[in-house]
Amino acid sequence: MTTSSSIPTPLLAAPEPGAAAPPRRRRIAAARRSEGRSGLAMVAPALLLLVLFLVIPVLLAFGLSFTNARLISPNPPRFVGLDNFVRAFTADPAFLRSAINTFVFAVVIVPVQAGLGLLLAVLVNQKLRGVTMFRVIFFVPVVTSIVVVSILWKFMYQKDGLVNSFIDTITFGAWQGTAWLNNPSTALGAIIVLSIWQAVGFHMLIWLSGLQTIPEELYEAARMDGATPWQQFTNVTWPGLRSTMVFVLVTITIAALGLFVQVDVMTQGGPVNSTTTLVYHAVRKGYREMETGYGATISLIFFVLVLIVALVQRFLTREKD
Amino acid sequence: MATASLTSRPASRTAADPGEHVLRRRRKVWSYVAMSALAVVFLFPLVFMFVSSLKPDAQILGDVGSPRAFLPVGDISLDNYFGVFDRVPVGQFLVNSVLVTVLTVGLGLVVNSMAGFALSRMRWKGRSVVLAIVIATLIVPFETIAVPMVYWVSKLPTLVMEGGILKYDFGWLNSYHVQIVPFIANAFSIFLFTQYFSTIPKSLDEAARIDGAGWFTIYRRIIVPLAGPAFATVAILTFLPAWNQYLWPLMVVQQEELRPVMVGMQYFFQLNTAWGEVMAYTSLITLPVLIVFLSFQRAFVSSVAASGVKG
């Protein structure tokens, strides 16, 4: 195949009196134009979908939160200013309860899940036979749907469920458990435990990939200097895990702030709002009670929290680059 | 004296050597003990689920206080599974979930890899703007836009066949496409493709251009065949959320025959909870994922690891 056949047709058709072959510069310009068109064409489907189902909904969350829009209504949405925000912070105790619960959930789960994940990662990072099998086992809950996991644990948390019969066995009947999910003082804690159980394997793998980027020679050098395993960890492992740590903490925080399924399946926010969360409340108001405008307001507040976390991540990783 | 030193030297060496040996061995033993204990913690609920799905309700509750809860003993049968199929259209739910998952993942691979190609290997006006949009949308969790999105899709136009005439109507609720289309484009997938594609030498494109290949041909014939690992990673990372979708179909699909498996579960809680059937249902919808995971566990593990590298 000769190069002339690759020249775009408009160029061939262009009358070029005086020149036998089109000048090189014009050919390059034409190639650029076609590259520009093809590039745009290839990115267009993804771009269109992202705009339709991400950018517009985000803008809608902003816009609708200043209106009284309803999901099904004969009237068009009306601008109500900051009414929804005022309502959230002054006239909706369930919202404040949701914000507090979400905060408590995140504050407990972030360090515990990150710490346990690291512990698991260190365990399965050893050169031991069968260690891959343990990695797979610890990861099994992650691939199990959180809906299924929530139902299973709901059954186990019953008054006469597995959790209580286990407690009964190890304390020789000295301590009787409660119906964990029906007790306002234990329900959120119960959800925290199962959430960690389900997701910690994911962060184990993230930590593990971080651990494996640390060169073995550093450990050899440390051992040569007589460092104990704990000293090796604090002087070699931990400094090498900085960017992994930021990533793990941020992903857990954002996921924790979005807590919804466990609550929806297990407690519906109860008992007495002790497990309601921001997302659960947004869905309850914005969808089930059809107050789209108010639901958008709660979503927006949640979004601002996520943005803050993301900005903190930017700040923490900035000096590295 | 001489004999004493002769015997004491080897003795001290053997004392030092096994010392370290014993220590290392002890650590090894403890590691196995810890890992096995953790394995029990991570597996017992699932073992309980599978085992209970084979037992009648009365026996599930009766076995709770003993190790029998984890053993397939007593009155074992598949009755719960038959019960599930009798009570709810599980077959339909499974078909719906498979359809939604396959189309979301498949179309996502095409659309996002093309975008990744254009962003990483081509020069065009507006490229940096699009890249900025992709990066910015990376951090938007779906939960933040779920409520406004229900409102939004309820207003979108859709084509309907009515009496042989193609008409358009408003509202995407209660359809397959409302479960698929919003999740095809994925900023994180585009990001992964862009990164992977930029590691492939650009000279390949130039050579192909000289041979007269168009950009789409370069993408299809050169880049896609070289990017197997990237496609596997994206497929795995988009497969799980698609199969596990819950919040979105809960809100936008009320019609029973269009619902996916996770939402279908709700049927069991409207009546008196029949735990045996619940366990059979959850086993049914968990098994396909577990089988896929165990068959591709190596790819799963490296995909998740790859998702963490972006930080």
Side-chain angles (χ1 to χ4, degrees):
Chain A
M1 188 172 265
T2 58
T3 36
S4 66
S5 67
S6 76
I7 297 172
T9 34
L11 228 156
L12 274 175
E16 198 73 52
R24 195 177 147 72
R25 218 181 305 138
R26 294 201 45 186
R27 264 170 56 186
I28 291 174
R32 279 277 152 74
R33 268 203 306 280
S34 99
E35 186 170 351
R37 276 196 305 272
S38 312
L40 211 55
M42 290 184 82
V43 90
L47 184 63
L48 181 72
L49 289 169
L50 278 184
V51 168
L52 270 178
F53 298 108
L54 245 156
V55 178
I56 290 180
V58 167
L59 297 177
L60 265 179
F62 273 93
L64 288 172
S65 56
F66 298 99
T67 69
N68 65 351
R70 295 187 63 85
L71 192 53
I72 297 164
S73 164
N75 309 315
R78 195 167 48 79
F79 180 79
V80 295
L82 290 172
D83 281 8
N84 288 329
F85 293 89
V86 172
R87 174 179 168 196
F89 287 105
T90 59
D92 186 3
F95 166 79
L96 293 178
R97 203 54 226 260
S98 305
I100 293 169
N101 287 339
T102 307
F103 180 75
V104 169
F105 183 79
V107 163
V108 175
I109 217 162
V110 169
V112 175
Q113 190 168 314
L116 281 177
L118 179 58
L119 193 78
L120 292 179
V122 170
L123 265 179
V124 299
N125 194 32
Q126 303 176 88
K127 287 189 193 65
L128 296 173
R129 192 176 305 177
V131 86
T132 316
M133 186 189 76
F134 286 107
R135 281 180 207 167
V136 169
I137 290 175
F138 300 163
F139 197 72
V140 162
V142 180
V143 299
T144 312
S145 153
I146 186 69
V147 178
V148 169
V149 168
S150 300
I151 287 176
L152 261 179
W153 282 77
K154 186 180 180 179
F155 184 72
M156 302 199 312
Y157 276 138
Q158 286 182 326
K159 183 93 180 84
D160 50 2
L162 271 182
V163 171
N164 282 340
S165 84
F166 178 72
I167 291 172
D168 190 70
T169 310
I170 57 167
T171 63
F172 301 103
W175 194 51
Q176 300 296 318
T178 161
W180 299 90
L181 296 172
N182 297 333
N183 185 338
S185 54
T186 56
L188 190 61
I191 291 180
I192 289 175
V193 169
L194 93 97
S195 303
I196 294 173
W197 177 86
Q198 198 258 346
V200 72
F202 181 84
H203 296 100
M204 167 193 79
L205 278 189
I206 305 283
W207 282 120
L208 187 64
S209 65
L211 285 175
Q212 291 176 342
T213 59
I214 300 171
E216 183 58 26
E217 297 88 70
L218 289 180
Y219 289 104
E220 273 162 29
R223 270 196 295 271
M224 222 102 88
D225 293 341
T228 63
W230 176 248
Q231 283 170 330
Q232 286 175 38
F233 180 82
T234 53
N235 293 309
V236 180
T237 313
W238 189 241
L241 286 176
R242 196 171 175 280
S243 59
T244 312
M245 179 193 70
V246 173
F247 179 78
V248 166
L249 292 183
V250 167
T251 49
I252 299 179
T253 310
I254 292 179
L257 293 176
L259 173 64
F260 171 78
V261 178
Q262 294 93 310
V263 173
D264 192 59
V265 173
M266 299 173 88
T267 62
Q268 285 84 51
V272 287
N273 280 336
S274 61
T275 58
T276 176
T277 64
L278 284 178
V279 175
Y280 185 78
H281 196 53
V283 171
R284 178 162 58 188
K285 290 292 171 191
Y287 170 71
R288 292 191 176 127
E289 296 173 18
M290 298 203 171
E291 294 188 67
T292 304
Y294 189 52
T297 306
I298 301 166
S299 304
L300 189 62
I301 294 169
F302 166 58
F303 186 47
V304 169
L305 287 178
V306 171
L307 267 183
I308 292 172
V309 173
L311 288 176
V312 169
Q313 175 193 30
R314 264 286 155 80
F315 178 75
L316 287 176
T317 46
R318 181 197 44 166
E319 49 196 314
K320 262 254 167 179
D321 302 328
Chain B
M1 201 52 174
T3 40
S5 69
L6 262 179
T7 48
S8 73
R9 204 179 295 153
S12 73
R13 197 192 290 156
T14 45
D17 265 351
E20 199 172 312
H21 216 93
V22 165
L23 241 140
R24 203 175 294 163
R25 163 164 268 181
R26 201 175 290 163
R27 245 184 86 194
K28 207 166 149 182
V29 169
W30 276 112
S31 294
Y32 276 117
V33 169
M35 288 193 295
S36 307
L38 285 163
V40 170
V41 170
F42 283 108
L43 286 183
F44 84 90
L46 293 165
V47 172
F48 173 72
M49 173 179 85
F50 287 121
V51 167
S52 299
S53 73
L54 302 169
K55 298 176 181 173
D57 284 356
Q59 199 198 328
I60 296 174
L61 296 170
D63 283 351
V64 156
S66 74
R68 287 166 56 89
F70 304 101
L71 298 171
V73 291
D75 192 1
I76 295 300
S77 74
L78 289 176
D79 286 353
N80 289 327
Y81 290 86
F82 294 125
V84 165
F85 276 94
D86 279 347
R87 188 179 295 190
V88 296
V90 201
Q92 184 67 50
F93 293 159
L94 281 167
V95 168
N96 294 343
S97 273
V98 169
L99 191 78
V100 168
T101 305
V102 167
L103 284 175
T104 307
V105 173
L107 292 172
L109 286 177
V110 175
V111 165
N112 296 316
S113 66
M114 274 191 345
F117 176 83
L119 287 170
S120 63
R121 308 185 74 81
M122 299 174 68
R123 297 199 306 171
W124 41 280
K125 220 187 258 175
R127 181 179 158 275
S128 53
V129 177
V130 174
L131 203 59
I133 294 178
V134 170
I135 302 280
T137 49
L138 265 180
I139 58 145
V140 181
F142 176 71
E143 289 90 347
T144 60
I145 53 170
V147 169
M149 191 123 110
V150 178
Y151 185 80
W152 174 233
V153 297
S154 74
K155 308 264 182 260
L156 287 176
T158 182
L159 289 172
V160 282
M161 281 294 265
E162 228 169 73
I165 314 158
L166 203 60
K167 294 204 281 191
Y168 77 96
D169 199 358
F170 288 97
W172 274 27
L173 303 180
N174 287 316
S175 65
Y176 282 120
H177 56 264
V178 76
Q179 302 179 62
I180 298 167
V181 179
F183 304 99
I184 293 174
N186 181 314
F188 189 55
S189 305
I190 297 175
F191 181 78
L192 284 176
F193 277 123
T194 306
Q195 282 210 315
Y196 194 89
F197 290 162
S198 56
T199 62
I200 301 172
K202 287 249 170 33
S203 53
L204 289 175
D205 302 9
E206 281 151 27
R209 292 292 294 160
I210 289 167
D211 284 348
W215 285 102
F216 189 76
T217 314
I218 296 175
Y219 158 77
R220 258 210 43 204
R221 303 245 176 248
I222 300 176
I223 302 304
V224 172
L226 285 174
F231 279 87
T233 297
V234 170
I236 283 169
L237 291 177
T238 48
F239 158 75
L240 275 180
W243 180 264
N244 290 338
Q245 268 204 44
Y246 177 73
L247 169 59
W248 183 244
L250 189 70
M251 296 196 291
V252 296
V253 185
Q254 265 69 48
Q255 233 166 299
E256 182 180 278
E257 59 270 25
L258 295 172
R259 289 195 143 166
V261 285
M262 295 305 155
V263 181
M265 191 114 61
Q266 291 193 320
Y267 288 80
F268 293 98
F269 295 107
Q270 292 163 358
L271 321 143
N272 268 343
T273 309
W275 283 106
E277 290 185 358
V278 171
M279 297 298 167
Y281 187 86
T282 52
S283 300
L284 262 179
I285 63 177
T286 303
L287 268 176
V289 187
L290 275 186
I291 290 168
V292 172
F293 166 60
L294 292 176
S295 340
F296 298 103
Q297 38 115 339
R298 205 176 288 267
F300 259 82
V301 167
S302 57
S303 299
V304 171
S307 78
V309 175
K310 74 159 189 168

